[in-house]
């Protein structure tokens, strides 16, 4: 969830007085990086993925599955192994990072993948290897899984090992103990800052799925909405697992183009990877984790949310920190000013300062939008930095703007280039699925660059698509705004967009719109590629073709159907302890390839 910083953080009431200092020096640091690297060219394509995993433990006698809070112990052992291998000069296959929840671990390849399509074949094997490495440190009753959320997190009874008392001084949650949060000081400070800055606990409300006997949910507090599953902690969003990929572009211009084009695809990919139909033991009417992330990280005050007149705050901010992008940034011939149609607030003083220092209007507006936020983690001993050699103040703001896509400048004085991080996909059950979606995104960037594709639609339509993508079975039942002519045309060709199904966007409409997969196959046919690589990439793309067409189910639909067809399900939207046990057992068997599920794979 952003920059991991060491040191003792200040409480929000003390930290907020340093917000201007951190913003001011953060912009200094960005300008230093920008001026040193804006003309840099010919960085090669490098890329990587990251997956967040959950550690679970089974109680077979009680037919219960729980989350294990041993992730930090396991992480320490993994990092020791990594350090020892590095000291000996041995090859390291994976690297490990802490995540917000005490039951989560983040795994990434130890080195980025290269610029050949053959490197795409390494992804699935590395993902398998990561699970194998972690498994060496698990107890006999423990396992590692890659699904977005734990279905019964926050339910009454036993869902953690060890179990702890609710309503602790940190989370103050009706449903979760403080021990569910990673004890690293950064995560506690972030939780405190969001809650204290907002002036209240966060409020997450996910609409319930109405089955034949679904109950009217008890309103636990004034923040709970009728017929919604209410949650009251950052952990319900930040405790979710996702699938992300980061791509290094050849220069800043290519990175800006990819940022814009991938932002348009974010809702499409979210619906394609939908895997989160259950919250707090209830079937919901949504299939994605995204709304929980948006609402659980919303640190805006009542004034900033427009609920009270501005008095103490500077802006009314129409988007939380975790949301779709606010502005396109590419200085591209296909871009039109009217695409940035949301008029999202930005800091005029920072904007002017960036313009005065040679940053163009589009990039200046993007950065000055990010920097309307306050830092969430302030360490007094780290306030004074050399802005020519450090980027910590910049990253403090940058990495706590959790958008669907992140535009990433190079670290100071490094050989790393301008990058784009694609952040919205849901973790899938199997390594094959996760690898397929990573490969799809990398191939998508190649056809965007090679064919100069143009996906631009107004930002307001992207936001509308995001809301559509949350919905139950959006893949098969909803339509999304998309551009009719995606081949860039600089001669005033029709600038039209319409609502399409995801099947039409991915596989084509059989008439005018070709479909992204078709373009990818044309791309693969146009370049020199060996038979093995062509075969494996073809398998990945065929899987995505079938998922987009509805011939195979999303993870969310499969989970929903499993629950509703379980012999102990009472058609009341409730996922009991035993149903959850059987579900997770089955998901693990699918993950390991022990059962065949043609409706899913």
């Amino acid at each position: 969830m952003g920059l991991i910083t060491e040191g003792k953080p200040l409480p929000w009431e003390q930290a907020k007085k340093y917000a201007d200092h951190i913003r001011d020096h953060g912009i200094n640091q960005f300008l230093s990086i920008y001026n040193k690297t804006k003309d840099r060219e010919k960085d090669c394509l490098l890329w990587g993925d990251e997956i967040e995993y959950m550690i679970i433990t089974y109680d077979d006698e009680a037919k219960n599955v729980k989350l294990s809070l041993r992730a930090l112990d396991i992480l320490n052992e993994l990092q020791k192994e990594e350090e020892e291998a590095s000291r000996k000069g041995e090859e390291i296959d994976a690297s490990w990072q802490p995540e917000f929840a005490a039951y989560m671990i983040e795994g990434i390849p130890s080195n980025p993948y290269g610029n050949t399509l053959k490197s795409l074949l390494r992804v699935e094997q590395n993902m398998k290897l990561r699970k194998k490495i972690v498994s060496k440190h698990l107890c006999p009753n423990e396992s590692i899984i890659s699904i977005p959320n734990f279905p019964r997190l926050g339910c009454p009874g036993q869902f953690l090992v060890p179990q702890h008392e609710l309503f602790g001084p940190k989370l103050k949650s009706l449903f979760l103990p403080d021990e569910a949060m990673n004890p690293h000081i950064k995560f506690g400070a972030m939780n405190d800052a969001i809650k204290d800055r907002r002036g209240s606990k966060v409020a997450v409300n996910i609409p319930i799925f109405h089955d034949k006997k679904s109950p009217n949910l008890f309103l636990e507090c004034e923040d709970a909405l009728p017929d919604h599953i209410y949650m009251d902690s950052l952990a319900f969003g930040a405790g979710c697992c996702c699938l992300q990929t980061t791509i290094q572009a050849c220069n800043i211009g290519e990175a800006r183009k990819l940022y814009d084009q991938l932002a348009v695809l974010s809702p499409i990919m979210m619906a394609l990877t939908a895997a989160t139909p259950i919250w707090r033991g209830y079937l919901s009417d949504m299939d994605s984790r995204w709304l929980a992330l948006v609402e659980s990280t919303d640190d805006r005050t009542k004034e900033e949310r427009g609920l009270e007149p501005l008095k103490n705050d500077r802006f009314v901010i129409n988007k939380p920190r975790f949301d779709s992008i606010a502005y396109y940034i590419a200085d591209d011939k296909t871009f039109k000013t009217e695409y940035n149609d949301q008029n999202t607030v930005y800091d005029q003083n920072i904007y002017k300062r960036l313009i005065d220092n040679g940053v163009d209007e589009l990039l200046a507006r993007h950065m000055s939008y990010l920097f309307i936020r306050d830092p969430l983690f302030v360490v007094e001993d780290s306030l004074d930095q050399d802005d020519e050699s450090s980027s910590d103040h910049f990253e403090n703001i940058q990495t706590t703007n959790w958008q669907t896509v992140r535009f990433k400048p190079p670290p100071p004085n490094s050989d790393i280039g301008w990058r784009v991080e694609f952040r919205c996909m849901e973790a899938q059950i199997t390594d094959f699925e996760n690898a397929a979606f990573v490969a799809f995104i990398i191939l998508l960037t190649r056809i965007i660059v090679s064919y100069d594709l143009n996906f631009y639609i107004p930002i307001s339509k992207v936001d509308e698509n995001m809301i559509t993508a949350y919905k139950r079975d959006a893949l098969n039942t909803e339509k999304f705004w998309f551009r009719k002519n995606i081949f860039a045309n600089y001669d005033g060709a029709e600038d039209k967009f319409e609502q399409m199904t995801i099947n039409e966007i991915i596989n084509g409409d059989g008439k005018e719109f070709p479909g992204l997969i078709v373009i990818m196959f044309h791309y693969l046919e146009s370049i020199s590629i060996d038979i093995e690589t062509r075969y494996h990439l073809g398998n990945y793309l065929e899987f995505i073709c079938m998922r987009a067409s509805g011939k195979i189910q999303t993870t969310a639909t499969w989970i929903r159907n499993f629950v509703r067809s379980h012999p102990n399900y009472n058609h009341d939207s409730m996922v009991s302890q035993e149903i959850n046990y059987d579900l997770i057992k089955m998901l693990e068997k699918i993950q390991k390839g022990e059962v065949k599920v043609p409706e899913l794979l």
Side-chain angles (χ1 to χ4, degrees), residues 80-100:
K80 282 180 188 175
E81 281 187 359
E82 193 177 343
E83 290 168 7
E84 181 67 14
S86 179
R87 186 181 64 79
K88 292 179 178 179
E90 297 173 354
E91 185 176 350
I92 303 169
D93 295 302
S95 292
W96 309 94
Q97 294 293 330
E99 261 301 336
F100 182 87

Side-chain angles (χ1 to χ4, degrees), residues 128-139:
K128 291 179 186 294
L129 188 57
R130 283 176 235 172
K131 286 178 180 168
K132 186 177 179 180
I133 291 170
V134 173
S135 295
K136 292 188 300 182
H137 301 280
L138 299 178
C139 295

Side-chain angles (χ1 to χ4, degrees), residues 10-29 193 197 299 304 312-315 321 347 350 353 370-380 382-383 392-398 400:
L10 294 173
W12 172 248
E13 283 302 314
Q14 296 177 37
K16 65 182 181 181
K17 68 182 180 181
Y18 297 111
D20 286 338
H21 173 90
I22 290 173
R23 276 191 290 265
D24 180 54
H25 286 273
I27 292 299
N28 284 348
Q29 292 169 3
R197 191 185 184 285
D299 70 334
E304 290 171 331
N312 300 309
D313 295 304
R314 301 184 300 157
F315 309 110
R321 299 178 90 111
D347 190 309
I350 290 176
R353 184 171 158 205
L370 300 185
F371 273 71
I372 62 177
R373 312 291 179 180
D374 285 336
L376 296 179
F377 190 94
V378 178
V379 177
E380 193 167 16
S382 301
L383 287 170
D392 282 0
H393 287 325
F394 170 73
E395 295 293 351
N396 195 329
I397 304 288
Q398 155 93 342
T400 54

Side-chain angles (χ1 to χ4, degrees), residues 222-383:
E222 62 181 9
D223 291 325
L225 298 179
D227 290 328
H228 282 67
I229 306 159
Y230 168 70
M231 292 164 282
D232 63 351
S233 167
L234 172 60
F236 282 105
C240 290
C241 300
C242 69
L243 170 67
Q244 299 178 359
T245 186
T246 299
I247 305 103
Q248 177 176 275
C250 71
N251 56 35
I252 186 175
E254 183 177 283
R256 290 169 70 170
K257 180 182 180 68
L258 290 176
Y259 174 89
D260 286 5
Q261 305 303 319
L262 291 176
V264 179
L265 267 295
S266 295
I268 312 306
M269 298 309 300
M270 193 165 69
L272 264 173
T273 58
T276 322
I278 305 171
W279 296 93
R280 238 188 74 215
Y282 292 99
L283 283 172
S284 79
D285 214 31
M286 289 185 171
D287 278 358
S288 166
R289 80 201 188 287
W290 195 261
L291 182 61
L293 289 163
V294 170
E295 294 186 345
S296 69
T297 56
D298 190 357
D299 70 334
R300 293 174 301 165
T301 66
K302 287 185 177 181
E303 292 179 19
E304 290 171 331
R305 282 177 275 155
L307 302 177
E308 294 179 356
L310 283 177
K311 182 179 178 183
N312 300 309
D313 295 304
R314 301 184 300 157
F315 309 110
V316 174
I317 306 173
N318 68 337
K319 288 192 174 191
R321 299 178 90 111
F322 213 121
D323 213 330
S324 54
I325 70 167
Y327 290 103
Y328 293 122
I329 64 173
D331 187 12
D332 188 279
K333 288 183 286 187
T334 59
F335 174 76
K336 295 182 180 179
T337 305
E338 55 263 33
Y339 297 148
N340 279 333
D341 65 340
Q342 286 293 69
N343 296 316
T344 307
V345 67
Y346 58 93
D347 190 309
Q348 296 279 357
N349 293 327
I350 290 176
Y351 174 80
K352 182 178 185 304
R353 184 171 158 205
L354 290 166
I355 293 291
D356 290 346
N357 280 273
V359 179
D360 63 90
E361 180 182 330
L362 289 169
L363 189 54
R365 189 173 286 118
H366 166 73
M367 286 297 170
S368 57
Y369 165 72
L370 300 185
F371 273 71
I372 62 177
R373 312 291 179 180
D374 285 336
L376 296 179
F377 190 94
V378 178
V379 177
E380 193 167 16
D381 293 343
S382 301
L383 287 170

